[in-house]
Amino acid sequence: MNEDNGDFEPKIVGFLCNWCSYAGADLAGSSRLKYKPNVRVIRVMCSGRVDPLFVFKAFEKGADGVLIAGCHPGDCHYQCGNYKTMRRMHVMKKMLEQMGISPERLRLEWVSAAESTRFVNVVNDMTEKIKELGPSPLKEEVASNE
Amino acid sequence: MSKTMKEITERGNAYNCIQCGRCTGSCPSGRECSIRTRKLIHLAKMGEEVFAVPELWECTTCFTCQERCPKDVKTTDMIIEIRNIAVSENYFPTMSEVPKIIIKSLYDTGSGQPLSPEVSKMRSIIGLAKEPFDVGKNEKDLKDFQKLLDILPLMKEVAK
Amino acid sequence: MREYAYFPGCIGKNVYPGIEKATRLVFDTLDVGLRDYAYSCCPPPGVVACYDKESWYTIGARNLALSEQDGLDIMTICAGCYGTLHNVWHELNHNKELMDKVNENLDTIGMSYSGKSRPIHFVDILDSMRDKVKSSKEIDLGFKVAVHYGCHYLKPSDVTGESPEEPTLLDELVGLIGCESVPFKDRLTCCGAGGGVMSGEPDLSLKIIKTKLDNIRKKDVDAIVNICSFCHMQFDQSQKKLKTFDIPVLHLNQLLGLAFGHKQKHLGLHMNLVSNRDLVKKVKMARKVSA
Amino acid sequence: MRVGVYVCHCGINIAKTVDVERVVKEISKLPNVVVCRDYHYMCSDPGQELIKKDINRYELNSIVIAACSPRMHFKTFQSALKSAKLNPYMLEMANIREHCSWVHDDVEAATQKAIALVKSSVAKASHLEPLVENDSPVVPAALVIGGGIAGIQSALDIANAGYKVFLVEKEPSIGGHMAQFDKTFPTLDCAACILTPKMVDVSRHENIKLLTYSEVEDISGFVGNFHVKVKKKPRYVNENKCVACGDCATECRLANRIVSEFDEGLGKRSAIYVPFPQAVPLKYTIDPDNCLFLTRGKCGKSPKCVDVCDANAIEFDQKEKIEEFDVGTIIVATGYDSFDAAEKPEFMFGKVPNIINGLQYERFFAPNGPTGGELVMPDGSVPKNVVFVSCVGSRDKKVGNPYCSRICCMYSTKQAHLTKERSPDTDVTVFYCDVRAFGKGYEEFYERVQGEGVKYRRGLVSEIYQDDEGKLHVRAEDSLLGEPVDIVADLVVLATGVVPKDTTKSLAQKLHISNSPDGFLLEAHPKLRPVDTVTDGIFLAGCAQGPKDIPDTVAQAGAAAAHAIDVLAKGKITIEPYNAVVNPDLCGGCRICEMLCPFDAHHYNEQEGVMEINDTLCKGCGVCGAACPAGAIALNLFRNKQIISQIEAILDE
């Protein structure tokens, strides 16, 4: 599979919490760290704001992967929003599986406001992994329906 | 395995080096001879031909310097890898032929230190088989082993 | 019964076979099975790794691959062999590119290695069965010993997981059989043999070991106890070369063999260049006392 | 919707990697976009003027700025909207600098990504709704956590401005590490002489309530209205009665038998003690871990302290107390710990008495220290050779501290000077790597001390060993000679670095502020907001934020106080309307949201059978909105339709 995906540039939607992960991504920028351009960020106040609807919508609209990033457990600006996300992850992955989408396409990561290098690693690693997985099967479906 | 000085320097975190000398001060060899680990790292960092420096071969690879480096410079790993370059660039440690003899023995018998007739006799005295159970015991094993060595860069270097 | 693949190493079998034998006797006493394989030389870090690392990884991986199908881990009795095999195991498990390259090489002789079979230094096995070691003791040797941790058993710690600045395991192990580990200056420094220095820079190698032997001699010990056949060779042979020393050198398994009541002849004590005569006398006296 | 889009070049910061013209061209094609322009610096006055003019000229009702992070300039552009009489929440920013031009090299990829990001913002902007800000009153009081020099300075500044201050200190006395020092570098001011007057000022100030031997237990609320719970540990001595005569300590059965923390383990104290003679408050405390009566229930026939206390101040039945109060703002000034040199076993710290750390050596010189300020070693002799070991626990990845501690070079230099001052014949060597003499007068001081005969050898110490005669040897490479050296020493001083206090992490969690990777507390912006945290109303002072010397600490403490006063002086805060709102027509009253809300902002209206959300309590995290099965909860500025339109746009080819 790997060799076939040489030219494939995955589209990944990233939901970053305003306080930790978005700030971490900002720091990666001001530190001029370089990473792959495949993740497109949508800012939310808390990872707990990420309605499962958003995730499924993203896949429906052709995303190859979805990244949710929030504060580390215990560090949530809203005390426990990230724990709620953690619990939702399980259900969302199950549902994706039933939809024929590899649950690996959805990731939850903790990135603090200071962890710019961690953000870079997460983005690069996720891009790599999604590349290996190839385009989302849903995407092809969307395309063929059109 | 491509290896260039630049790769070795990067992989060894040598760009982190602050020339504090903790490596040299920890070196048991440096107390008896002229090796200065700090200088070797500095030369590598500056892009000098550190592989041509004879002190490179005075390191016993005890890893004390690497263990103590506050900047995570992989000093010992680097010395070993720079030696690889020295060998491929023909900066052989000329002081002794012994290393070559060891490698030749490794090829011929599977052991770097071969079994002598005297030791063989001693083995039987203490109740061991005269010949140990190893790759050299069975001809097919040894042939396979040599076949493996034949494709490795090691033998090409020794053959030079 | 626990079982391990047994890696005696070139020095242990071809130069000081007493170490190979002592190991077999000791682990037999401890009810640990040892299985033999058609191993080659580890190969030596100082010579082969310094000449070409890829070759070093490949030859090491061939050794690790031999016992993999039987699901056995590999017991080493030499810090050098341990350093090589453990480093190869660690590196291959953390570097897929290297693993692929090595397996491509091994494929020419129809072998492969997955990274499962892992090397263990014999002292770590002893550490996990201290009670058994203690109860197997027949003779209280009562030796004062200088212990020598081989560098490659301890370092680099991010690979070995040991604490190289203040190790205590060996001191504790000799304590289990009634021996006292005597502290001495720079006890953790290198014996001077590694890195190809013994073969490539013999004069330097002798200088390093002489400093070490001087420090040990001040403490008036009965023996130097090591856990590395290569260090063993350096300690023994260099004393002969330096002519001014006569401190008996024992591999830990030889010391354990004595404490377990095995005959000194079977432990190959007489194969050392440094005379063990006084030591053997002490063992005989201790045997009488213990009886 | 009439959207205006403005793409910023940010000089070349954006324009270098993003083809701005192409972005403008693509975005201009979008349906709601009335006008799309690019400009060199959107945040500049002319840039903002451009927006204002367009709003009037084109009757724009929603604005997108494609520039830097909204965390940087959202408020700047909000005010531009305001002055053009447009609701300030009709604004959306696309972050094409931090998230795009700065992190990519490839112009094509970066431009494409920028287009996608701006499209997404335009989509959101097309669904924005005007929002109204509310005000909330500010409690005119501040909490200062930590009573070292940083906390003292902040507390005094705020109190002098006329506001109430609660100063909470964990130890029995305020003063912090500075109270342990003898002299301060480079001026050699006596530390006590400049610190103790401030300590006394704190204790006498009518606006300061001092809570010593106390710890912050819990903090809730938000800027302007924090609710604080403080745990007051029992001193077992009535503070109002104790006159600090000291008879109890003299008579204590454990007199001079307990290791003194203040003397860094070099001196001894009693089980009832004041940490040092100038302590504030000067009230005795019984150490519950050592006191015979408290640990065993029995101390002779009766406790000596009780017997000798004429004031009847001893109260063994004291219990832990919780004190609660409200404040409008908080300053965190919790200081640092000294690195534990035992983590570097090659330096033998703790194994040999004559190997000590920097803080211990400080106590050698202090007149109130264990030697009464004399330079004598435990065996009574004066050291003939003193060796300083720099960077112990600093610039050292092996122990996880990659940073420079900033003070060790200079305190070693100061201590080297003090050594020479006490004993001119003593040979003093400082092993260093780079002498960091960066402050005012520091380089000059370093030069002076070199002139006093202190030997600076370049090289960090590799190991220390003790020879058969018990002499200490310090091994290093003199890197300027390029030779390994072995220096004999009677006394080795390990210049231990600054590490975050062990409680930093848990305190950060209580306050919902962040740590930087080094473990210290994270400022909101490293350059422009060095005393702010990401949480409004919470500020940082001193070494809690990172290693610093006394001048920098005091300066930062003043700055933090100014920011705190700023909050208090306004008297009210504007609550941004990022809150959740319930649509009662959709709400089924299932009350799932109520269980999820960490702020108790949800209340069930039994009569109507629907949920209601309290605007003041709601912080706008949106957890409830994401969970509402009826889709009845909307989060202002992050409404479902807004985010979904973003998702659609960002994935649109």
Side-chain angles (χ1 to χ4, degrees), chain A residues 11 26 34-35 49 76 84, chain D residues 69 102 104 638 640 653:
Chain A
K11 281 188 177 180
D26 276 0
K34 302 290 177 228
Y35 56 84
R49 170 67 187 106
C76 177
K84 311 278 159 52
Chain D
S69 171
W102 275 351
H104 307 309
F638 295 92
N640 278 12
E653 277 304 331

Side-chain angles (χ1 to χ4, degrees), chain D residues 280-528:
Chain D
V280 169
L282 193 57
K283 304 289 173 191
Y284 277 75
T285 303
I286 296 179
D287 167 3
D289 297 326
N290 287 297
C291 167
L292 294 174
F293 190 78
L294 286 173
T295 52
R296 301 180 195 172
K298 200 170 178 300
C299 173
K301 265 191 188 135
S302 75
K304 290 263 192 186
C305 51
V306 176
D307 297 347
V308 298
C309 184
D310 291 336
N312 287 322
I314 312 292
E315 294 175 352
F316 280 115
D317 56 355
Q318 274 187 10
K319 293 275 172 316
E320 197 175 278
K321 270 193 283 196
I322 298 285
E323 199 151 322
E324 299 191 42
F325 50 87
D326 293 323
V327 294
T329 176
I330 298 171
I331 291 177
V332 186
T334 44
Y336 69 97
D337 281 335
S338 180
F339 173 75
D340 178 8
E343 282 184 47
K344 303 287 293 176
E346 61 269 37
F347 295 154
M348 293 174 71
F349 181 72
K351 304 222 168 72
V352 183
N354 291 356
I355 300 178
I356 61 173
N357 68 29
L359 216 41
Q360 288 178 319
Y361 201 36
E362 205 61 52
R363 300 304 302 149
F364 268 71
F365 298 111
N368 61 3
T371 60
E374 297 292 321
L375 179 56
V376 286
M377 299 199 293
D379 67 0
S381 67
V382 176
K384 292 199 173 48
N385 302 288
V386 177
V387 172
F388 287 87
V389 179
S390 298
C391 295
V392 178
S394 309
R395 307 177 77 191
D396 189 344
K397 289 187 177 173
K398 271 263 124 88
V399 294
N401 301 339
Y403 55 85
C404 165
S405 287
R406 291 172 55 105
I407 57 167
C408 327
C409 284
M410 290 317 291
Y411 83 60
S412 297
T413 301
K414 172 192 74 184
Q415 291 176 346
H417 162 81
L418 294 174
T419 309
K420 279 285 186 190
E421 187 185 73
R422 299 287 198 285
S423 169
D425 294 335
T426 294
D427 196 73
V428 181
T429 303
V430 180
F431 278 102
Y432 72 99
C433 189
D434 308 288
V435 172
R436 297 195 162 161
F438 51 85
K440 191 171 182 179
Y442 291 8
E443 182 66 23
E444 295 89 327
F445 182 61
Y446 167 42
E447 196 180 309
R448 168 182 166 187
V449 174
Q450 275 185 301
E452 289 167 355
V454 173
K455 296 172 189 163
Y456 280 80
R457 264 189 200 269
R458 195 192 175 283
L460 289 184
V461 169
S462 301
E463 60 191 37
I464 300 169
Y465 69 93
Q466 196 171 24
D467 67 18
D468 292 334
E469 285 81 50
K471 278 269 182 200
L472 298 173
H473 292 249
V474 179
R475 265 187 186 142
E477 181 192 10
D478 181 325
S479 68
L480 299 179
L481 295 176
E483 288 300 325
V485 292
D486 183 316
I487 307 281
V488 176
D490 309 313
L491 183 68
V492 176
V493 183
L494 305 176
T496 39
V498 170
V499 296
K501 251 200 142 39
D502 55 0
T503 50
T504 304
K505 183 80 200 165
S506 61
L507 184 67
Q509 291 190 347
K510 275 178 201 159
L511 293 166
H512 302 291
I513 56 177
S514 304
N515 296 88
S516 25
D518 54 19
F520 293 99
L521 297 173
L522 182 68
E523 63 282 349
H525 190 279
K527 299 274 178 292
L528 301 177

Side-chain angles (χ1 to χ4, degrees), chain A residues 11-16 18-55 57-65 72-82 84-85 87-88 112-116 119-120 139, chain D residues 13 68-72 74 92-95 97-105 109-110 112-113 116-117 120 124 219-220 505 508-509 512-517 522 526 534-536 578 595-599 619-628 633-635 637-640 643-644 646-648 650-653:
Chain A
K11 281 188 177 180
I12 301 166
V13 178
F15 294 100
L16 307 192
N18 181 62
W19 304 98
C20 292
S21 305
Y22 196 91
D26 276 0
L27 184 61
S30 46
S31 312
R32 309 299 200 275
L33 304 177
K34 302 290 177 228
Y35 56 84
K36 299 213 160 80
N38 303 63
V39 174
R40 269 118 215 232
V41 169
I42 293 175
R43 183 170 70 110
V44 288
M45 292 312 274
C46 177
S47 60
R49 170 67 187 106
V50 180
D51 193 318
L53 180 68
F54 301 167
V55 174
K57 193 76 190 176
F59 282 114
E60 183 202 318
K61 289 291 163 189
D64 300 299
H72 284 268
D75 291 350
C76 177
H77 188 78
Y78 304 104
Q79 295 181 13
C80 52
N82 50 3
K84 311 278 159 52
T85 318
R87 276 190 263 162
R88 272 178 208 144
S112 83
E115 290 176 328
S116 48
F119 181 73
V120 169
K139 189 184 210 166
Chain D
N13 280 307
C68 51
S69 171
R71 295 162 42 84
M72 186 90 191
F74 194 77
E92 176 62 17
M93 283 185 79
N95 186 347
R97 192 179 75 173
E98 281 87 342
H99 289 194
C100 190
S101 70
W102 275 351
V103 289
H104 307 309
D105 290 323
Q112 275 191 22
K113 181 172 170 182
L117 292 176
S120 153
K124 185 172 179 183
I219 291 183
S220 56
K505 183 80 200 165
Q509 291 190 347
H512 302 291
I513 56 177
S514 304
N515 296 88
S516 25
L522 182 68
V534 291
T535 303
D536 286 343
Y578 292 147
M595 294 187 296
L596 293 173
C597 181
F599 305 104
K619 294 289 158 42
C621 65
V623 165
C624 53
C628 178
I633 301 178
L635 185 74
L637 229 66
F638 295 92
R639 289 177 175 258
N640 278 12
I643 294 180
I644 285 171
Q646 273 190 289
I647 296 170
E648 288 169 347
I650 222 167
L651 289 165
D652 186 36
E653 277 304 331

Side-chain angles (χ1 to χ4, degrees), chain B residues 26-39:
Chain B
S26 300
C27 180
S29 194
R31 284 169 211 148
E32 315 283 354
C33 69
S34 57
I35 185 173
R36 300 290 175 261
T37 316
R38 177 187 55 78
K39 273 192 186 172

